[in-house]
Amino acid sequence: RYIPQPKDFRVSSHFELVPQRGNTGKEQIKLCRFYDYAPLVFDRIRRRFGILPEQYLQSIGPEYLIVNILMGNIFSLQELCSSGKSGSFFYYSADGNYMIKTISYEEFEFLQKILPHYHDHLLKHHDTLLARYYGLHKMKFVNKKKGSKTKSQIYFVVMGNLFNTVHEIHVRYDLKGSSYGRSVRRHAEDKVDPSIALKDNDIRADGTRICLKPENTERMLKQIMADTKFFREHNIIDYSLLLGIHYKDKLSNRNMTSGMASPKLGSPLPGASLTRTASPNPNQNANFPPASFFESDEGGLSSSDGSALYFIG
């Protein structure tokens, strides 16, 4: 059984894309170098959640990213305007299993710093609600033209997609435990597309409650306390709990319009950040632990009366 060594948290590997000449009539070459940080550590994290290397590479491996670069999908990240307050971009993998989120260099350094503790927390707490980071990467670009050369680079993480489920998510919330600036709807009767996450004041106005069996409530609160302790130890305060609700009775779909198709790689995601994969992996290896407690009912967690499924992360 592999046990990460201190050096494994700082090591990186990389490879280069074969130069490609532009077809505009001018001499132009695009170079790309792909960096994979702490590959053994993130492989262990992925295996912890039942994701085998071949499954991950098929969805979001370097070759997949390179194909998108050649198509202009990822290279365009350098030219897009920010879609959120943090300046980050969010993209789905083509199969919807994962998200790519661009991060700043400061965020990259911070994740590297806490990675040993993050790794240990995920392996110790089977039901953790922390965001599932499955990869930490960088891409360096060099544009060469006659007489000039420009360089740029992008840092990004690969994350699990909480709402990757066969069940329609009728409403979703991004909750911080604050009321200041935590509204999406200006008026209670406003209709919001279900692909957009509502916030703390909206869930209060909706009167929405998470109704669980007493033993499930206790287990959930215990895990939230453990995760909160992790945040406190690392001075992390800007964090959200995401909640998606599937109502088994479609008539319970309140204040919502019809759903939208999920954006794929090459299209920015609407709304706030998303986190962990909710649906259990159908190809999960028998040697790995089963899906977490929060994924035990059809990929989510059933309400006490069975009328709803909660996707929490």
Side-chain angles (χ1 to χ4, degrees):
R1 183 180 178 183
Y2 165 70
I3 302 297
Q5 302 301 309
K7 63 180 179 62
D8 294 330
F9 292 92
R10 303 298 299 183
V11 72
S12 67
S13 58
H14 70 271
F15 73 90
E16 292 187 359
L17 171 67
V18 177
Q20 179 190 28
R21 295 183 182 276
N23 54 8
T24 61
K26 298 181 180 180
E27 195 73 13
Q28 180 176 348
I29 299 176
K30 291 182 180 180
L31 301 174
C32 173
R33 177 175 287 183
F34 175 88
Y35 290 80
D36 186 11
Y37 291 91
L40 294 177
V41 175
F42 282 105
D43 177 66
R44 192 178 192 213
I45 290 174
R46 292 192 296 268
R47 288 175 181 271
R48 153 69 181 83
F49 293 107
I51 302 171
L52 295 173
E54 56 269 25
Q55 296 166 346
Y56 183 72
L57 290 174
Q58 183 177 357
S59 293
I60 206 156
E63 296 84 357
Y64 175 82
L65 294 175
I66 292 304
V67 168
N68 278 276
I69 291 171
L70 294 175
M71 294 173 62
N73 291 341
I74 295 181
F75 197 81
S76 64
L77 283 177
Q78 302 167 91
E79 302 158 2
L80 290 173
C81 296
S82 171
S83 60
K85 293 181 180 179
S86 65
S88 297
F89 303 98
F90 300 90
Y91 294 80
Y92 286 127
S93 61
D95 57 14
N97 287 331
Y98 308 103
M99 290 180 53
I100 294 176
K101 176 188 176 184
T102 62
I103 59 176
S104 66
Y105 177 69
E106 291 73 22
E107 291 171 318
F108 166 80
E109 279 195 316
F110 181 73
L111 183 53
Q112 276 198 318
K113 178 182 177 182
I114 69 169
L115 184 56
H117 304 283
Y118 173 77
H119 165 273
D120 293 347
H121 186 88
L122 262 59
L123 268 66
K124 179 180 179 182
H125 297 278
H126 181 73
D127 297 328
T128 182
L129 291 169
L130 296 188
R132 294 180 183 176
Y133 293 108
Y134 292 140
L136 177 62
H137 306 287
K138 176 176 70 174
M139 281 181 147
K140 295 182 71 173
F141 300 92
V142 178
N143 290 349
K144 289 185 177 182
K145 294 183 180 180
K146 281 188 176 180
S148 66
K149 180 170 69 174
T150 59
K151 298 181 180 180
S152 59
Q153 59 187 19
I154 297 172
Y155 294 94
F156 62 93
V157 290
V158 178
M159 309 168 68
N161 176 14
L162 172 63
F163 299 128
N164 180 36
T165 171
V166 297
H167 298 290
E168 179 183 359
I169 303 297
H170 295 114
V171 60
R172 62 193 73 191
Y173 298 98
D174 178 311
L175 306 173
K176 289 184 179 292
S178 171
S179 60
Y180 181 76
R182 300 296 297 165
S183 299
V184 172
R185 292 192 297 252
R186 297 184 63 182
H187 307 286
E189 63 274 13
D190 290 348
K191 292 185 178 181
V192 178
D193 191 275
S195 67
I196 297 176
L198 301 175
K199 298 182 180 180
D200 300 70
N201 293 331
D202 302 305
I203 196 172
R204 292 190 185 97
D206 292 346
T208 301
R209 299 289 186 269
I210 302 177
C211 301
L212 301 175
K213 296 178 181 178
E215 62 271 22
N216 290 348
T217 299
E218 182 180 355
R219 189 167 178 176
M220 178 177 174
L221 292 177
K222 181 179 179 181
Q223 187 56 57
I224 289 177
M225 291 297 293
D227 291 341
T228 302
K229 183 174 182 290
F230 176 86
F231 294 145
R232 195 165 59 243
E233 290 173 347
H234 297 284
N235 297 317
I236 300 172
I237 60 173
D238 186 11
Y239 201 85
S240 300
L241 179 73
L242 292 189
L243 168 65
I245 306 177
H246 166 75
Y247 295 105
K248 294 185 178 181
D249 178 359
K250 291 185 178 181
L251 295 178
S252 296
N253 187 1
R254 305 185 302 272
N255 298 329
M256 293 292 133
T257 60
S258 60
M260 295 174 59
S262 299
K264 303 300 182 183
L265 186 60
S267 302
L269 287 178
S273 62
L274 304 179
T275 52
R276 42 187 284 281
T277 302
S279 53
N281 192 329
N283 300 314
Q284 186 160 0
N285 190 297
N287 295 325
F288 301 142
S292 83
F293 160 69
F294 295 100
E295 303 172 16
S296 57
D297 300 315
E298 301 178 62
L301 188 61
S302 180
S303 63
S304 55
D305 61 2
S307 65
L309 283 176
Y310 302 118
F311 297 88
I312 307 170

